[in-house]
Amino acid sequence: MKNILVTGGLGFIGSHTVVELCDQGYNPVIVDNLSNSKIEVHDRIDRIASKSVSFEEGDLRDKAFTERVFDKFKFEGVIHFAASKAVGESVEKPLLYYENNLTSLVNILEQAKRHETSNFIFSSSCTVYGQPDRLPVDESFPKLPAESPYGNTKQIGEEIIQDFCKANSAFKAISLRYFNPVGAHESAMIGELPLGVPANLVPFITQTAAGIRSQLSIFGGDYNTPDGTCIRDYIHVVDLAKAHVLALEYSSRMNLNYDFFNVGTGKGCSVLDVIKAFESASGEKLNYKIVDRRPGDIEKIYADTNKVNQLLGWKAEKGLNEMMKSAWEWQKKLAID
Ligand code: NAD
Ligand code: UFG
């Protein structure tokens, strides 16, 4: 059974990916410092996967800890989710973001080299494209200057990996550029756990419907889009998790030693589309109002998914209705727990 290191494996996307890895017969090893996740997620993963998944608690900025993890297990692949991800916080605390997101990456690559571990999958983001001049955006589009220190860590992270691959021809790595991951596992046992007031749309919607927030503010109704609200490519987190398993398999057979893929559905949805889908999936009426634009938001983006469809053999299967339904089931469960 193949050991796969999953850094940040107790987080939102990591936890769903660990479940998919178990389903596909891999042996994931989770490393997490619990800075943005709860230890209870480990037990829930075990219950969904019906197995005891290895977990090492620690911080990947700590070189000695990272070395100990690599010494303890022989890994055949690494999926690197661990990072700080709050765009607004990154503007306030840029050094925290550069330190956490980049030091961890360098420490892991060092250990991967020492142990000759290949098949490295990196969590990147469609933020690397900024506002593209035409849509859908494909992987040949240029990367635009990042809008935030967080976005910059994804651009620099991709470059670090690319340089590392150039210097180590046997090492294979893939960056996955996620569009907007939402939704939750069908069991409603794992999902997104935002700390404090959610910055992202879908957790804000579900918390408003659950009565935790009084009203959703839609940031901007005067964009150049059919209904005036911003357009994004929302992707179900379980579909995204599956893309990681396929990326691991692809990395071991690809000819290049570094490649990168968009992971989205290819469909653009406005904020109002998402609200409508939520209301229809949940049967709840949402209290919202349109307010000023949020600084830094791009108007519209959605993915060209041809490359990921063809080379990884991956295609998003779940639509907006399933995304909203599962996000709502997860929110209701949270209210009970
Ligand atoms: P998350 O915060 O839910 O998960 C990240 C996990 O990493 C958390 O459990 C946290 O405790 C852990 N972690 C952070 N720093 C660590 C460190 N130094 N050592 C050990 N563990 C550490 O985030 P997520 O939404 O699951 O995102 C996963 C990855 O995907 C991140 O790299 C993020 O930047 C990227 N990404 C996320 C989105 C999104 O919208 N969620 C979009 C694009 C890219
Ligand atoms: N929005 C609202 N009200 C809210 C929250 C969001 O109207 O309370 C709007 C935003 O203005 C935007 C859309 O909903 O038009 C989506 O916003 P999110 O904050 O959910 O997502 P973003 O597209 O801004 O960014 C997210 C992550 C980034 C990641 C990016 C691409 O926050 O980390 O997706 O993957 F890089």
Side-chain angles (χ1 to χ4, degrees):
M1 187 131 46
K2 292 180 180 169
N3 287 344
I4 306 295
L5 170 60
V6 185
T7 77
L10 295 186
F12 173 42
I13 308 167
S15 56
H16 291 82
T17 303
V18 168
V19 167
E20 290 304 319
L21 285 166
C22 292
D23 265 10
Q24 296 304 315
Y26 288 92
N27 189 30
V29 175
I30 298 172
V31 169
D32 206 299
N33 66 357
L34 302 172
S35 59
N36 198 34
S37 49
K38 296 216 165 104
I39 189 62
E40 290 79 5
V41 175
H42 182 210
D43 176 54
R44 288 170 174 222
I45 290 172
D46 283 357
R47 279 158 57 199
I48 298 171
S50 304
K51 70 178 268 187
S52 175
V53 176
S54 303
F55 169 54
E56 301 288 322
E57 182 177 344
D59 196 313
L60 293 153
R61 283 172 291 188
D62 178 347
K63 242 183 213 283
F65 165 75
T66 310
E67 196 171 326
R68 279 200 303 280
V69 170
F70 273 82
D71 286 346
K72 184 166 170 185
F73 301 90
K74 166 98 190 94
F75 295 120
E76 296 195 20
V78 176
I79 308 183
H80 180 41
F81 292 108
S84 303
K85 64 162 184 178
V87 177
E89 187 189 46
S90 81
V91 177
E92 310 278 309
K93 301 175 184 165
L95 297 186
L96 175 79
Y97 276 68
Y98 287 115
E99 201 227 347
N100 195 31
N101 297 4
L102 300 179
T103 311
S104 304
L105 174 62
V106 169
N107 284 345
I108 295 164
L109 291 176
E110 263 175 13
Q111 292 310 313
K113 182 174 168 72
R114 203 166 68 86
H115 288 268
E116 295 181 354
T117 306
S118 192
N119 308 322
F120 182 89
I121 314 299
F122 177 63
S123 297
S124 189
S125 164
C126 70
T127 50
V128 301
Y129 297 118
Q131 176 63 70
D133 54 14
R134 66 197 152 82
L135 290 169
V137 63
D138 70 45
E139 291 83 349
S140 70
F141 278 50
K143 287 192 261 183
L144 294 183
E147 292 275 350
S148 68
Y150 165 75
N152 211 16
T153 67
K154 294 298 170 192
Q155 298 215 4
I156 300 169
E158 286 196 7
E159 279 160 23
I160 290 173
I161 297 164
Q162 200 166 1
D163 287 345
F164 183 79
C165 285
K166 275 187 204 142
N168 298 278
S169 56
F171 186 76
K172 301 210 170 185
I174 289 177
S175 293
L176 295 181
R177 294 175 176 169
Y178 313 156
F179 282 67
N180 286 54
V182 298
H185 191 262
E186 61 182 4
S187 64
M189 285 168 65
I190 53 173
E192 194 169 3
L193 273 176
L195 287 181
V197 182
N200 297 116
L201 178 64
V202 173
F204 207 106
I205 289 178
T206 59
Q207 288 196 6
T208 305
I212 301 166
R213 314 276 155 213
S214 56
Q215 187 174 55
L216 169 78
S217 296
I218 297 180
F219 300 133
D222 57 352
Y223 284 99
N224 182 24
T225 59
D227 64 23
T229 66
C230 289
I231 289 179
R232 297 286 182 277
D233 185 337
Y234 296 91
I235 170 172
H236 198 297
V237 66
V238 171
D239 277 336
L240 178 58
K242 289 180 177 164
H244 289 80
V245 181
L246 291 170
L248 262 186
E249 286 160 6
Y250 180 73
S251 75
S252 61
R253 65 173 193 273
M254 69 184 182
N255 295 325
L256 301 171
N257 74 331
Y258 175 69
D259 211 347
F260 46 95
F261 297 88
N262 286 344
V263 191
T265 62
K267 292 189 191 78
C269 298
S270 72
V271 176
L272 286 169
D273 289 336
V274 175
I275 292 172
K276 262 184 243 144
F278 175 78
E279 289 184 333
S280 132
S282 67
E284 301 287 322
K285 189 95 195 82
L286 201 72
N287 182 24
Y288 64 84
K289 69 164 182 214
I290 296 181
V291 301
D292 288 347
R293 294 179 176 198
R294 180 170 70 175
D297 269 342
I298 58 163
E299 185 167 271
K300 48 185 166 224
I301 190 163
Y302 49 92
D304 181 313
T305 60
N306 278 314
K307 186 173 173 186
V308 69
N309 295 160
Q310 281 163 26
L311 295 184
L312 259 57
W314 173 91
K315 203 170 182 347
E317 286 167 1
K318 296 176 191 290
L320 204 51
N321 181 53
E322 279 166 290
M323 299 180 211
M324 293 305 119
K325 209 170 169 35
S326 61
W328 181 231
E329 291 307 318
W330 164 242
Q331 180 67 60
K332 286 194 291 186
K333 190 96 187 299
L334 275 176
I336 298 161
D337 286 352

